[in-house]
Amino acid sequence: MPEPARADIQAAGAAGRNRYLLLAAAVLPLAVGLLLQLMGMKGAASAAFAVGTAPVLAVLLIDIAWSLRAGRFGLDVLAALSMAAALAFGEPLAGNVVALMYAGGQQLERFAEGRARREMTALAARAPRDAVLHLDGGLVVVAAVDLVAGDRVLVRSGDTVPADGAVLGGPAVLDLSSLTGETRPARLEDGEEAPSGAVNAGDAFDLAILRPAADSTYAGIVRLVEAAASSRAPMVRLADRYALAFVLVSLALAIGAAILAHDPRRALAVLVVATPCPLILAVPVALMAGLSRAAKRGVLVKSGGALEKLARVRALVVDKTGTLTHGRAELEEVRTAPDFEPEEVLRLAASLDQASSHVVARALVHAAHDRDLALSPPRAVKEDGGAGLEGWVEGHAVAVGGTAYVAARASGDWSALRAHLPPASAVVAVAIDGRPAGLLLFADPVRDDAADMIAALRRGGVQHVALASGDRTEAVDAVGRDLGLDAWTGELKPEGKIAQIALSREAANGGAVMMVGDGVNDAPALAAADIGVALGARGAAASAEVADAVLLVDRLDRLAEAMAIARRSLAIARQSVRWGIGLSLVGMVAAAFGYLQPVQGALLQEAIDVVVILNALRVLIPGPGEGAET
């Protein structure tokens, strides 16, 4: 497990122990005081109740001071006022009950948040720690964080893949449920990439490490989990602002009741009913539960703010490769210009594409390996994300990418090569030494379930679906027409996709625009959208700074489920706040008119808090359109 994640868990454990001590400091004196009171020792009982109030009040005052220094003002000030007033007015039993309710509420909130974070904390807890490394003809156990690209490790049956790597001597059968939520094992053949965090559900196999553990799939996921757990959503900050108004209303009602009734205990009764308030409990619990539910369905949302935006999505801009298609392009044809041999064009292009992580580049390299072509290391490579790359291979200047990108770096006529191209094929142009060398035609057919996934998104509230792709226009037209999309544009550079997002924002009718891309070449568009979704766990590691969410499972319809989860989370949070504050106000009015004594008011408020938190936890129960438990 990464050190920050381990430190966070240790800190959470220490905080939990401190809360238990605080609860004990309130419970034990209360029990002793009640026993002394039954024995007729009222003076000793009052002293015991005061002892049960004082430490909780002291800790609370320190917390309030730290919050004020951080620029936050919360409703805990009401708890401090009610405990101090109880001691001042000679009502130590009420003060001890409020102290118990406060300490107990802290425990209840901690339990609720822990329950809500369960899926997310489980992700961090399952981070790989050790690896079995091939070293000097033997095997040694090393820390996963010490692995580097090029290491060869043994992944035993039941072991967790320690870092992203290529399967050697496959097949490998992997349980990807910790990454994607899918329970069906995946079968990877020799040379295919295995993500860190997957569990070996089959026989032992060797793995060639491709990137260090810190840059691997699972590390990216853990970083996103930590960001989500520490985020403060706009709705939470709005609740903080409401807290000041609620404090002022509570104080005004308490002071008014004391003056009109000529009884300062009326003020105490009002204050204890207002201690604490569902406003500060319901919203974070409901949002954290929503993040956890979305993670369980394979959508890792980076923050509570992103979850709120997800609830407002009305327009979708999607890249083609790997979303509407399988993303496993296969080379079907190599067309070459005169004086160029097909295998030589493919070999030089694949040699250059070793420097790119684009899905088509990986397919090109794989095709060259299948043909047993010897690849050379490229030099001085320059890549224009999503468009192409150029560099030097064996003394030749090579450019590979979209036709427009490569044509700008080669003088010559491409028309003969482009004649009678299959409409749905993806085309990669190759120029060698400034001359058109050939076209590589890849087939990446539309997924069988693409139409169903688009339909699910429309049912989930998406009103406008646009396809923005760097592929050639003819291929994009074919996909857009077949799937009945609202708009589609091909041969786009990254800035063109940003322009498409601006157009979709107009079609969103005030809603949010979601962009779904591969997380590397689409980074500018992901950042420009209201909510950017990176595809796949490796995209998550590469684009943690720009993506608001990561789709861990290979199914776009899970985004529709995440949208439903987000909407329901916000609805339940607002419902909890409305009912909680409403019930608190009713109790405060009743206390102001003398119908509730301080102890009764404290017990009533705790009951309200329990109901509010349990209602917020309803987010964890699947609702309509959110998918079944896996």
Side-chain angles (χ1 to χ4, degrees), residues 252-296:
L253 189 57
I255 294 171
I259 292 174
L260 293 175
H262 304 290
D263 183 1
R265 287 174 176 78
R266 291 285 181 90
L268 175 59
V270 172
L271 289 176
V272 296
V273 176
T275 307
C277 179
L279 194 63
I280 58 174
L281 300 178
V283 174
V285 169
L287 292 184
M288 190 57 64
L291 294 173
S292 186
R293 275 284 300 144
K296 191 174 183 64

Side-chain angles (χ1 to χ4, degrees), residues 80-126:
L81 284 174
S82 60
M83 280 186 267
L87 293 177
F89 295 155
E91 291 279 355
L93 175 57
N96 200 167
V97 172
V98 172
L100 174 61
M101 294 303 101
Y102 176 79
Q106 294 289 304
Q107 283 294 340
L108 180 60
E109 183 180 7
R110 179 172 176 267
F111 164 78
E113 287 201 351
R115 178 69 176 83
R117 295 175 188 233
R118 183 178 61 180
E119 297 303 326
M120 302 181 71
T121 53
L123 283 170
R126 287 194 294 262

Side-chain angles (χ1 to χ4, degrees), residues 314-317 464-468 486-489 492 495-511 513 528:
R314 294 295 178 271
L316 170 67
V317 180
H464 179 86
V465 182
L467 174 60
D486 299 294
W488 54 85
T489 310
L492 289 176
E495 55 267 26
K497 294 184 179 182
I498 294 175
Q500 183 61 58
I501 288 171
L503 293 174
S504 296
R505 187 166 281 118
E506 297 177 6
N509 297 321
V513 177

